[in-house]
Short mmCIF file of all heavy atoms in Angstrom, two decimals:
data_model
loop_
_atom_site.label_atom_id
_atom_site.label_comp_id
_atom_site.label_asym_id
_atom_site.label_seq_id
_atom_site.Cartn_x
_atom_site.Cartn_y
_atom_site.Cartn_z
N VAL A 516 -166.78 89.00 31.63
CA VAL A 516 -166.09 88.11 30.69
C VAL A 516 -165.47 88.92 29.56
O VAL A 516 -164.32 88.70 29.17
CB VAL A 516 -167.08 87.05 30.13
CG1 VAL A 516 -166.47 86.30 28.97
CG2 VAL A 516 -167.51 86.11 31.24
N THR A 517 -166.24 89.88 29.02
CA THR A 517 -165.73 90.69 27.90
C THR A 517 -164.48 91.46 28.32
O THR A 517 -163.47 91.46 27.61
CB THR A 517 -166.82 91.67 27.43
OG1 THR A 517 -168.01 90.93 27.15
CG2 THR A 517 -166.39 92.41 26.18
N VAL A 518 -164.54 92.09 29.50
CA VAL A 518 -163.39 92.89 29.96
C VAL A 518 -162.19 91.97 30.21
O VAL A 518 -161.07 92.25 29.78
CB VAL A 518 -163.76 93.68 31.24
CG1 VAL A 518 -162.53 94.30 31.88
CG2 VAL A 518 -164.79 94.76 30.92
N ALA A 519 -162.42 90.84 30.89
CA ALA A 519 -161.32 89.92 31.20
C ALA A 519 -160.69 89.39 29.91
O ALA A 519 -159.47 89.33 29.78
CB ALA A 519 -161.83 88.77 32.07
N GLN A 520 -161.54 89.05 28.93
CA GLN A 520 -161.02 88.51 27.67
C GLN A 520 -160.15 89.55 26.94
O GLN A 520 -159.08 89.24 26.43
CB GLN A 520 -162.19 88.08 26.78
CG GLN A 520 -161.78 87.68 25.38
CD GLN A 520 -161.92 86.20 25.13
OE1 GLN A 520 -163.01 85.67 25.19
NE2 GLN A 520 -160.82 85.53 24.85
N TRP A 521 -160.63 90.80 26.92
CA TRP A 521 -159.85 91.83 26.23
C TRP A 521 -158.56 92.17 26.97
O TRP A 521 -157.54 92.47 26.36
CB TRP A 521 -160.71 93.08 25.98
CG TRP A 521 -161.51 92.89 24.71
CD1 TRP A 521 -162.82 92.58 24.60
CD2 TRP A 521 -160.99 92.94 23.37
NE1 TRP A 521 -163.17 92.42 23.28
CE2 TRP A 521 -162.08 92.64 22.51
CE3 TRP A 521 -159.74 93.17 22.82
CZ2 TRP A 521 -161.92 92.59 21.12
CZ3 TRP A 521 -159.59 93.13 21.43
CH2 TRP A 521 -160.67 92.84 20.61
N LEU A 522 -158.61 92.10 28.31
CA LEU A 522 -157.37 92.34 29.08
C LEU A 522 -156.33 91.26 28.77
O LEU A 522 -155.14 91.55 28.62
CB LEU A 522 -157.68 92.36 30.58
CG LEU A 522 -158.16 93.70 31.15
CD1 LEU A 522 -158.55 93.55 32.62
CD2 LEU A 522 -157.07 94.77 31.01
N VAL A 523 -156.79 90.00 28.64
CA VAL A 523 -155.86 88.92 28.29
C VAL A 523 -155.25 89.19 26.91
O VAL A 523 -154.04 89.08 26.70
CB VAL A 523 -156.58 87.55 28.31
CG1 VAL A 523 -155.69 86.46 27.71
CG2 VAL A 523 -156.99 87.17 29.72
N ARG A 524 -156.10 89.59 25.96
CA ARG A 524 -155.60 89.85 24.60
C ARG A 524 -154.60 91.00 24.56
O ARG A 524 -153.53 90.89 23.98
CB ARG A 524 -156.78 90.20 23.67
CG ARG A 524 -157.64 89.02 23.35
CD ARG A 524 -158.83 89.44 22.52
NE ARG A 524 -159.65 88.28 22.16
CZ ARG A 524 -160.95 88.36 21.91
NH1 ARG A 524 -161.59 89.52 22.00
NH2 ARG A 524 -161.61 87.28 21.59
N ILE A 525 -155.00 92.12 25.18
CA ILE A 525 -154.16 93.33 25.09
C ILE A 525 -152.83 93.13 25.83
O ILE A 525 -151.76 93.41 25.29
CB ILE A 525 -154.93 94.56 25.64
CG1 ILE A 525 -156.11 94.87 24.73
CG2 ILE A 525 -154.02 95.77 25.77
CD1 ILE A 525 -157.13 95.82 25.33
N THR A 526 -152.90 92.60 27.06
CA THR A 526 -151.65 92.39 27.79
C THR A 526 -150.81 91.33 27.08
O THR A 526 -149.58 91.43 27.05
CB THR A 526 -151.90 91.96 29.27
OG1 THR A 526 -152.78 90.84 29.28
CG2 THR A 526 -152.49 93.08 30.09
N GLY A 527 -151.47 90.32 26.50
CA GLY A 527 -150.74 89.26 25.79
C GLY A 527 -149.93 89.83 24.63
O GLY A 527 -148.75 89.51 24.47
N VAL A 528 -150.55 90.70 23.83
CA VAL A 528 -149.84 91.29 22.69
C VAL A 528 -148.69 92.17 23.19
O VAL A 528 -147.56 92.11 22.69
CB VAL A 528 -150.82 92.10 21.80
CG1 VAL A 528 -150.07 92.90 20.76
CG2 VAL A 528 -151.82 91.17 21.13
N LEU A 529 -148.98 93.00 24.22
CA LEU A 529 -147.94 93.89 24.75
C LEU A 529 -146.77 93.08 25.33
O LEU A 529 -145.60 93.43 25.13
CB LEU A 529 -148.53 94.81 25.84
CG LEU A 529 -149.54 95.86 25.34
CD1 LEU A 529 -150.11 96.65 26.52
CD2 LEU A 529 -148.89 96.82 24.33
N LEU A 530 -147.11 91.98 26.03
CA LEU A 530 -146.05 91.13 26.62
C LEU A 530 -145.19 90.52 25.53
O LEU A 530 -143.96 90.44 25.67
CB LEU A 530 -146.70 90.02 27.46
CG LEU A 530 -147.12 90.43 28.87
CD1 LEU A 530 -148.19 89.50 29.41
CD2 LEU A 530 -145.92 90.44 29.79
N LEU A 531 -145.83 90.07 24.46
CA LEU A 531 -145.07 89.44 23.37
C LEU A 531 -144.12 90.46 22.74
O LEU A 531 -142.93 90.19 22.57
CB LEU A 531 -146.05 88.88 22.32
CG LEU A 531 -145.41 88.12 21.16
CD1 LEU A 531 -144.59 86.93 21.65
CD2 LEU A 531 -146.47 87.64 20.18
N ILE A 532 -144.64 91.66 22.44
CA ILE A 532 -143.81 92.68 21.80
C ILE A 532 -142.66 93.09 22.74
O ILE A 532 -141.49 93.09 22.35
CB ILE A 532 -144.66 93.91 21.43
CG1 ILE A 532 -145.68 93.54 20.35
CG2 ILE A 532 -143.77 95.06 20.95
CD1 ILE A 532 -146.73 94.60 20.08
N LEU A 533 -143.02 93.41 24.00
CA LEU A 533 -141.99 93.86 24.96
C LEU A 533 -140.98 92.75 25.22
O LEU A 533 -139.76 93.00 25.27
CB LEU A 533 -142.68 94.29 26.27
CG LEU A 533 -141.78 94.91 27.34
CD1 LEU A 533 -140.97 96.08 26.80
CD2 LEU A 533 -142.65 95.39 28.51
N GLY A 534 -141.46 91.51 25.35
CA GLY A 534 -140.56 90.38 25.59
C GLY A 534 -139.57 90.21 24.45
O GLY A 534 -138.37 90.04 24.68
N LEU A 535 -140.06 90.28 23.21
CA LEU A 535 -139.16 90.11 22.06
C LEU A 535 -138.15 91.25 21.99
O LEU A 535 -136.97 91.04 21.68
CB LEU A 535 -139.98 90.02 20.76
CG LEU A 535 -140.81 88.73 20.61
CD1 LEU A 535 -141.71 88.78 19.38
CD2 LEU A 535 -139.91 87.49 20.53
N LEU A 536 -138.60 92.49 22.33
CA LEU A 536 -137.67 93.64 22.33
C LEU A 536 -136.62 93.49 23.43
O LEU A 536 -135.46 93.86 23.25
CB LEU A 536 -138.45 94.95 22.51
CG LEU A 536 -139.32 95.37 21.32
CD1 LEU A 536 -140.16 96.59 21.67
CD2 LEU A 536 -138.47 95.65 20.09
N LEU A 537 -137.04 92.90 24.58
CA LEU A 537 -136.08 92.64 25.66
C LEU A 537 -135.06 91.61 25.19
O LEU A 537 -133.86 91.72 25.43
CB LEU A 537 -136.81 92.11 26.90
CG LEU A 537 -137.58 93.12 27.76
CD1 LEU A 537 -138.51 92.39 28.73
CD2 LEU A 537 -136.62 94.01 28.54
N TRP A 538 -135.57 90.61 24.50
CA TRP A 538 -134.72 89.50 24.04
C TRP A 538 -133.67 89.99 23.03
O TRP A 538 -132.51 89.64 23.09
CB TRP A 538 -135.60 88.42 23.41
CG TRP A 538 -134.97 87.06 23.38
CD1 TRP A 538 -133.66 86.75 23.66
CD2 TRP A 538 -135.61 85.82 23.07
NE1 TRP A 538 -133.46 85.40 23.55
CE2 TRP A 538 -134.62 84.80 23.19
CE3 TRP A 538 -136.89 85.46 22.71
CZ2 TRP A 538 -134.91 83.45 22.95
CZ3 TRP A 538 -137.17 84.11 22.48
CH2 TRP A 538 -136.20 83.12 22.60
N THR A 539 -134.12 90.85 22.10
CA THR A 539 -133.20 91.34 21.07
C THR A 539 -132.31 92.46 21.59
O THR A 539 -131.40 92.92 20.90
CB THR A 539 -133.98 91.85 19.84
OG1 THR A 539 -134.91 92.86 20.28
CG2 THR A 539 -134.74 90.74 19.14
N GLY A 540 -132.61 92.97 22.79
CA GLY A 540 -131.79 94.05 23.36
C GLY A 540 -132.18 95.42 22.84
O GLY A 540 -131.45 96.39 23.02
N ASP A 541 -133.34 95.53 22.19
CA ASP A 541 -133.78 96.82 21.64
C ASP A 541 -134.38 97.74 22.69
O ASP A 541 -134.60 98.92 22.43
CB ASP A 541 -134.78 96.60 20.50
CG ASP A 541 -134.07 96.10 19.25
OD1 ASP A 541 -133.08 96.74 18.85
OD2 ASP A 541 -134.48 95.05 18.72
N VAL A 542 -134.73 97.17 23.86
CA VAL A 542 -135.17 98.02 24.98
C VAL A 542 -134.35 97.61 26.20
O VAL A 542 -133.89 96.47 26.29
CB VAL A 542 -136.69 97.88 25.29
CG1 VAL A 542 -137.54 98.40 24.16
CG2 VAL A 542 -137.05 96.45 25.64
N PRO A 543 -134.12 98.54 27.15
CA PRO A 543 -133.27 98.22 28.30
C PRO A 543 -133.92 97.20 29.24
O PRO A 543 -135.16 97.13 29.34
CB PRO A 543 -133.09 99.57 29.01
CG PRO A 543 -134.19 100.43 28.52
CD PRO A 543 -134.58 99.95 27.16
N LEU A 544 -133.08 96.41 29.92
CA LEU A 544 -133.58 95.39 30.85
C LEU A 544 -134.33 96.02 32.03
O LEU A 544 -135.07 95.32 32.73
CB LEU A 544 -132.42 94.53 31.37
CG LEU A 544 -131.72 93.65 30.33
CD1 LEU A 544 -130.61 92.83 30.97
CD2 LEU A 544 -132.71 92.73 29.62
N SER A 545 -134.17 97.33 32.21
CA SER A 545 -134.90 98.01 33.29
C SER A 545 -136.41 97.97 33.04
O SER A 545 -137.21 98.29 33.92
CB SER A 545 -134.42 99.45 33.44
OG SER A 545 -134.57 100.13 32.21
N LEU A 546 -136.82 97.56 31.82
CA LEU A 546 -138.26 97.46 31.53
C LEU A 546 -138.84 96.10 31.95
O LEU A 546 -140.04 95.86 31.80
CB LEU A 546 -138.53 97.70 30.04
CG LEU A 546 -138.42 99.16 29.59
CD1 LEU A 546 -138.81 99.31 28.13
CD2 LEU A 546 -139.29 100.08 30.44
N ILE A 547 -137.99 95.22 32.48
CA ILE A 547 -138.50 93.89 32.90
C ILE A 547 -139.64 94.03 33.93
O ILE A 547 -140.65 93.33 33.81
CB ILE A 547 -137.35 92.99 33.42
CG1 ILE A 547 -136.51 92.51 32.25
CG2 ILE A 547 -137.91 91.78 34.18
CD1 ILE A 547 -135.33 91.63 32.62
N PRO A 548 -139.53 94.94 34.93
CA PRO A 548 -140.65 95.07 35.88
C PRO A 548 -141.98 95.44 35.21
O PRO A 548 -143.05 95.01 35.64
CB PRO A 548 -140.19 96.17 36.84
CG PRO A 548 -138.70 96.11 36.78
CD PRO A 548 -138.36 95.74 35.36
N VAL A 549 -141.92 96.23 34.12
CA VAL A 549 -143.14 96.58 33.38
C VAL A 549 -143.72 95.30 32.76
O VAL A 549 -144.93 95.04 32.82
CB VAL A 549 -142.84 97.63 32.27
CG1 VAL A 549 -144.09 97.91 31.44
CG2 VAL A 549 -142.29 98.90 32.89
N HIS A 550 -142.81 94.50 32.19
CA HIS A 550 -143.22 93.23 31.58
C HIS A 550 -143.86 92.32 32.64
O HIS A 550 -144.91 91.72 32.40
CB HIS A 550 -141.98 92.58 30.95
CG HIS A 550 -142.23 91.30 30.23
ND1 HIS A 550 -142.59 91.24 28.89
CD2 HIS A 550 -142.18 90.01 30.65
CE1 HIS A 550 -142.74 89.98 28.54
NE2 HIS A 550 -142.50 89.20 29.58
N ILE A 551 -143.24 92.28 33.82
CA ILE A 551 -143.77 91.42 34.88
C ILE A 551 -145.15 91.92 35.33
O ILE A 551 -146.08 91.13 35.52
CB ILE A 551 -142.78 91.36 36.07
CG1 ILE A 551 -141.53 90.59 35.64
CG2 ILE A 551 -143.43 90.70 37.29
CD1 ILE A 551 -140.45 90.52 36.71
N LEU A 552 -145.29 93.26 35.46
CA LEU A 552 -146.59 93.82 35.88
C LEU A 552 -147.68 93.46 34.86
O LEU A 552 -148.79 93.05 35.24
CB LEU A 552 -146.45 95.35 36.03
CG LEU A 552 -147.68 96.05 36.59
CD1 LEU A 552 -147.89 95.65 38.05
CD2 LEU A 552 -147.50 97.57 36.52
N LEU A 553 -147.35 93.60 33.57
CA LEU A 553 -148.31 93.22 32.53
C LEU A 553 -148.66 91.73 32.65
O LEU A 553 -149.81 91.33 32.48
CB LEU A 553 -147.73 93.50 31.14
CG LEU A 553 -147.69 94.97 30.69
CD1 LEU A 553 -146.84 95.11 29.44
CD2 LEU A 553 -149.10 95.48 30.43
N GLY A 554 -147.64 90.92 32.98
CA GLY A 554 -147.86 89.48 33.14
C GLY A 554 -148.80 89.18 34.30
O GLY A 554 -149.67 88.31 34.19
N VAL A 555 -148.65 89.93 35.39
CA VAL A 555 -149.53 89.74 36.54
C VAL A 555 -150.97 90.10 36.16
O VAL A 555 -151.92 89.37 36.48
CB VAL A 555 -149.04 90.56 37.76
CG1 VAL A 555 -150.07 90.56 38.87
CG2 VAL A 555 -147.70 90.01 38.27
N VAL A 556 -151.14 91.21 35.43
CA VAL A 556 -152.49 91.62 34.99
C VAL A 556 -153.08 90.54 34.07
O VAL A 556 -154.25 90.17 34.19
CB VAL A 556 -152.46 92.99 34.27
CG1 VAL A 556 -153.83 93.34 33.69
CG2 VAL A 556 -151.98 94.08 35.22
N LEU A 557 -152.23 90.02 33.17
CA LEU A 557 -152.71 88.97 32.26
C LEU A 557 -153.22 87.76 33.05
O LEU A 557 -154.33 87.26 32.80
CB LEU A 557 -151.58 88.52 31.33
CG LEU A 557 -151.94 87.31 30.45
CD1 LEU A 557 -151.96 87.69 28.99
CD2 LEU A 557 -151.01 86.15 30.63
N VAL A 558 -152.43 87.30 34.00
CA VAL A 558 -152.81 86.08 34.73
C VAL A 558 -154.03 86.32 35.61
O VAL A 558 -154.94 85.49 35.67
CB VAL A 558 -151.61 85.53 35.53
CG1 VAL A 558 -152.03 84.36 36.41
CG2 VAL A 558 -150.51 85.07 34.57
N LEU A 559 -154.11 87.49 36.26
CA LEU A 559 -155.30 87.79 37.07
C LEU A 559 -156.55 87.83 36.19
O LEU A 559 -157.62 87.32 36.56
CB LEU A 559 -155.12 89.12 37.81
CG LEU A 559 -154.10 89.13 38.96
CD1 LEU A 559 -153.98 90.53 39.57
CD2 LEU A 559 -154.46 88.12 40.04
N SER A 560 -156.42 88.42 34.99
CA SER A 560 -157.57 88.48 34.07
C SER A 560 -157.97 87.09 33.61
O SER A 560 -159.16 86.77 33.50
CB SER A 560 -157.22 89.33 32.83
OG SER A 560 -156.72 90.57 33.22
N LEU A 561 -156.94 86.26 33.36
CA LEU A 561 -157.22 84.88 32.92
C LEU A 561 -157.94 84.11 34.02
O LEU A 561 -158.88 83.35 33.75
CB LEU A 561 -155.90 84.20 32.56
CG LEU A 561 -155.99 82.85 31.86
CD1 LEU A 561 -156.58 83.00 30.46
CD2 LEU A 561 -154.63 82.18 31.78
N TRP A 562 -157.51 84.30 35.26
CA TRP A 562 -158.17 83.62 36.37
C TRP A 562 -159.62 84.09 36.51
O TRP A 562 -160.52 83.29 36.75
CB TRP A 562 -157.42 83.90 37.69
CG TRP A 562 -156.14 83.12 37.81
CD1 TRP A 562 -155.75 82.05 37.05
CD2 TRP A 562 -155.07 83.35 38.74
NE1 TRP A 562 -154.51 81.61 37.45
CE2 TRP A 562 -154.07 82.38 38.48
CE3 TRP A 562 -154.84 84.28 39.76
CZ2 TRP A 562 -152.88 82.32 39.21
CZ3 TRP A 562 -153.67 84.21 40.48
CH2 TRP A 562 -152.70 83.25 40.22
N LEU A 563 -159.85 85.39 36.34
CA LEU A 563 -161.21 85.92 36.42
C LEU A 563 -162.07 85.29 35.31
O LEU A 563 -163.22 84.87 35.54
CB LEU A 563 -161.18 87.45 36.29
CG LEU A 563 -162.51 88.18 36.40
CD1 LEU A 563 -163.15 87.92 37.76
CD2 LEU A 563 -162.30 89.69 36.21
N LEU A 564 -161.48 85.22 34.11
CA LEU A 564 -162.18 84.62 32.96
C LEU A 564 -162.51 83.16 33.25
O LEU A 564 -163.66 82.71 33.04
CB LEU A 564 -161.28 84.74 31.73
CG LEU A 564 -161.82 84.33 30.37
CD1 LEU A 564 -163.07 85.12 30.02
CD2 LEU A 564 -160.75 84.53 29.29
N ALA A 565 -161.53 82.42 33.77
CA ALA A 565 -161.73 80.99 34.03
C ALA A 565 -162.78 80.79 35.14
O ALA A 565 -163.65 79.93 35.03
CB ALA A 565 -160.41 80.34 34.42
N ALA A 566 -162.69 81.62 36.19
CA ALA A 566 -163.63 81.47 37.31
C ALA A 566 -165.05 81.77 36.84
O ALA A 566 -165.99 81.03 37.16
CB ALA A 566 -163.23 82.41 38.45
N THR A 567 -165.21 82.83 36.05
CA THR A 567 -166.54 83.20 35.57
C THR A 567 -167.06 82.13 34.61
O THR A 567 -168.23 81.73 34.68
CB THR A 567 -166.50 84.57 34.86
OG1 THR A 567 -165.81 85.48 35.68
CG2 THR A 567 -167.90 85.10 34.59
N ALA A 568 -166.17 81.63 33.74
CA ALA A 568 -166.57 80.61 32.76
C ALA A 568 -167.08 79.36 33.47
O ALA A 568 -168.06 78.74 33.04
CB ALA A 568 -165.39 80.27 31.85
N SER A 569 -166.44 79.01 34.59
CA SER A 569 -166.83 77.79 35.30
C SER A 569 -168.23 77.91 35.89
O SER A 569 -168.89 76.90 36.14
CB SER A 569 -165.83 77.45 36.40
OG SER A 569 -165.95 78.38 37.46
N THR A 570 -168.70 79.14 36.09
CA THR A 570 -170.06 79.32 36.62
C THR A 570 -171.09 79.44 35.49
O THR A 570 -172.27 79.56 35.74
CB THR A 570 -170.16 80.59 37.49
OG1 THR A 570 -169.97 81.73 36.64
CG2 THR A 570 -169.16 80.60 38.61
N GLN A 571 -170.59 79.47 34.22
CA GLN A 571 -171.52 79.67 33.10
C GLN A 571 -171.52 78.48 32.14
O GLN A 571 -171.74 78.63 30.94
CB GLN A 571 -171.16 80.97 32.36
CG GLN A 571 -171.38 82.19 33.26
CD GLN A 571 -171.15 83.52 32.54
OE1 GLN A 571 -171.10 83.57 31.32
NE2 GLN A 571 -171.03 84.59 33.31
N GLY A 572 -171.20 77.30 32.68
CA GLY A 572 -171.38 76.08 31.88
C GLY A 572 -170.12 75.51 31.26
O GLY A 572 -170.16 74.44 30.67
N VAL A 573 -168.99 76.22 31.35
CA VAL A 573 -167.74 75.66 30.82
C VAL A 573 -167.27 74.59 31.80
O VAL A 573 -167.32 74.81 33.02
CB VAL A 573 -166.68 76.78 30.64
CG1 VAL A 573 -165.31 76.20 30.37
CG2 VAL A 573 -167.10 77.72 29.52
N PRO A 574 -166.82 73.41 31.30
CA PRO A 574 -166.42 72.33 32.22
C PRO A 574 -165.38 72.80 33.23
O PRO A 574 -164.45 73.53 32.88
CB PRO A 574 -165.82 71.27 31.28
CG PRO A 574 -166.42 71.55 29.95
CD PRO A 574 -166.70 73.02 29.89
N MET A 575 -165.56 72.37 34.48
CA MET A 575 -164.67 72.77 35.57
C MET A 575 -163.22 72.38 35.25
O MET A 575 -162.29 73.13 35.54
CB MET A 575 -165.14 72.10 36.87
CG MET A 575 -164.41 72.53 38.10
SD MET A 575 -164.49 74.31 38.39
CE MET A 575 -166.09 74.43 39.17
N GLY A 576 -163.04 71.21 34.63
CA GLY A 576 -161.67 70.75 34.31
C GLY A 576 -160.96 71.73 33.39
O GLY A 576 -159.77 72.01 33.56
N MET A 577 -161.71 72.27 32.41
CA MET A 577 -161.09 73.23 31.49
C MET A 577 -160.73 74.52 32.23
O MET A 577 -159.64 75.07 32.06
CB MET A 577 -162.06 73.55 30.33
CG MET A 577 -161.46 74.52 29.33
SD MET A 577 -162.63 75.03 28.05
CE MET A 577 -162.55 73.66 26.96
N ALA A 578 -161.65 74.99 33.08
CA ALA A 578 -161.40 76.23 33.82
C ALA A 578 -160.19 76.08 34.74
O ALA A 578 -159.31 76.95 34.80
CB ALA A 578 -162.64 76.62 34.62
N VAL A 579 -160.12 74.92 35.43
CA VAL A 579 -159.00 74.68 36.35
C VAL A 579 -157.69 74.57 35.56
O VAL A 579 -156.66 75.11 35.94
CB VAL A 579 -159.26 73.42 37.20
CG1 VAL A 579 -158.02 73.03 38.00
CG2 VAL A 579 -160.43 73.65 38.16
N GLY A 580 -157.75 73.88 34.42
CA GLY A 580 -156.56 73.73 33.58
C GLY A 580 -156.02 75.08 33.12
O GLY A 580 -154.82 75.34 33.18
N VAL A 581 -156.92 75.95 32.68
CA VAL A 581 -156.52 77.28 32.22
C VAL A 581 -155.90 78.06 33.38
O VAL A 581 -154.86 78.73 33.24
CB VAL A 581 -157.74 78.03 31.62
CG1 VAL A 581 -157.45 79.51 31.44
CG2 VAL A 581 -158.13 77.40 30.28
N ALA A 582 -156.53 77.96 34.57
CA ALA A 582 -156.02 78.69 35.73
C ALA A 582 -154.63 78.18 36.13
O ALA A 582 -153.74 78.98 36.44
CB ALA A 582 -157.00 78.54 36.90
N ILE A 583 -154.44 76.85 36.07
CA ILE A 583 -153.13 76.28 36.44
C ILE A 583 -152.06 76.68 35.42
O ILE A 583 -150.93 77.02 35.78
CB ILE A 583 -153.23 74.74 36.58
CG1 ILE A 583 -154.05 74.39 37.82
CG2 ILE A 583 -151.83 74.12 36.68
CD1 ILE A 583 -154.32 72.91 38.01
N LEU A 584 -152.44 76.70 34.14
CA LEU A 584 -151.48 77.13 33.10
C LEU A 584 -151.03 78.57 33.38
O LEU A 584 -149.84 78.90 33.26
CB LEU A 584 -152.12 77.01 31.71
CG LEU A 584 -151.24 77.42 30.53
CD1 LEU A 584 -149.96 76.58 30.47
CD2 LEU A 584 -152.01 77.30 29.22
N GLY A 585 -151.97 79.43 33.76
CA GLY A 585 -151.62 80.81 34.10
C GLY A 585 -150.65 80.87 35.27
O GLY A 585 -149.67 81.62 35.25
N LEU A 586 -150.91 80.03 36.28
CA LEU A 586 -150.05 80.00 37.46
C LEU A 586 -148.63 79.55 37.09
O LEU A 586 -147.64 80.14 37.52
CB LEU A 586 -150.65 79.07 38.52
CG LEU A 586 -149.88 78.94 39.83
CD1 LEU A 586 -149.84 80.27 40.56
CD2 LEU A 586 -150.49 77.87 40.72
#
Side-chain angles (χ1 to χ4, degrees):
V516 169
T517 307
V518 170
Q520 172 110 62
W521 276 103
L522 275 175
V523 170
R524 287 176 178 154
I525 293 166
T526 53
V528 170
L529 292 176
L530 279 158
L531 183 59
I532 294 170
L533 185 53
L535 291 174
L536 290 174
L537 284 166
W538 202 349
T539 56
D541 286 308
V542 294
L544 294 181
S545 57
L546 286 184
I547 286 179
V549 176
H550 182 87
I551 291 177
L552 186 67
L553 285 168
V555 170
V556 174
L557 173 115
V558 173
L559 289 178
S560 308
L561 190 67
W562 285 346
L563 182 61
L564 186 57
T567 312
S569 71
T570 66
Q571 295 185 15
V573 169
M575 186 58 82
M577 181 185 280
V579 171
V581 166
I583 290 175
L584 180 59
L586 181 64

